[in-house]
Amino acid sequence: MQGSGAGNDIPFKRPIPLEDTKAGESVSVVISKEALIGTRVRVCEDHRAVHLRGEKGTIKHRWGDPDYVALDVLLDNGLLQLFWFHELQAIED
């Protein structure tokens, strides 16, 4: 799914091992440039804050450099939390 050739700046998604997905859920790692407002995400299972692992939410705001973005995510439990893009997985649920 990677593009090749000079000038190809189309972002791509890296595959996630099947054991990291939940039944009926399509998942991919969030790439900084793909982290768009409104995207549904899940917190990675190896996140340092155990209580946030596996929580789902929606990206509400982007902060910082487009190549290393921080994201405000409104979690489904009502908590607004700031994450680095690499702490999240894009989901389609």
Side-chain angles (χ1 to χ4, degrees):
M1 296 188 343
Q2 284 180 297
S4 61
N8 187 352
D9 60 347
I10 298 170
F12 61 94
K13 295 181 179 182
R14 293 172 279 176
I16 300 296
L18 290 177
E19 62 270 13
D20 290 345
T21 62
K22 295 186 173 141
E25 200 173 52
S26 176
V27 180
S28 62
V29 172
V30 173
I31 304 299
S32 186
K33 291 179 181 179
E34 291 179 332
L36 303 176
I37 294 172
T39 301
R40 290 285 294 160
V41 293
R42 183 176 79 202
V43 181
C44 293
E45 294 296 331
D46 62 352
H47 192 274
R48 69 185 180 283
V50 176
H51 69 282
L52 294 174
R53 293 177 184 173
E55 289 288 330
K56 296 179 185 178
T58 305
I59 297 174
K60 292 297 179 183
H61 196 83
R62 296 170 47 99
W63 302 96
D65 189 294
D67 292 325
Y68 203 83
V69 69
L71 305 161
D72 273 332
V73 176
L74 180 60
L75 299 174
D76 291 348
N77 65 12
L79 179 68
L80 184 65
Q81 183 72 38
L82 185 65
F83 293 96
W84 291 110
F85 71 94
H86 58 81
E87 297 175 313
L88 302 170
Q89 297 172 325
I91 60 172
E92 295 175 17
D93 58 355

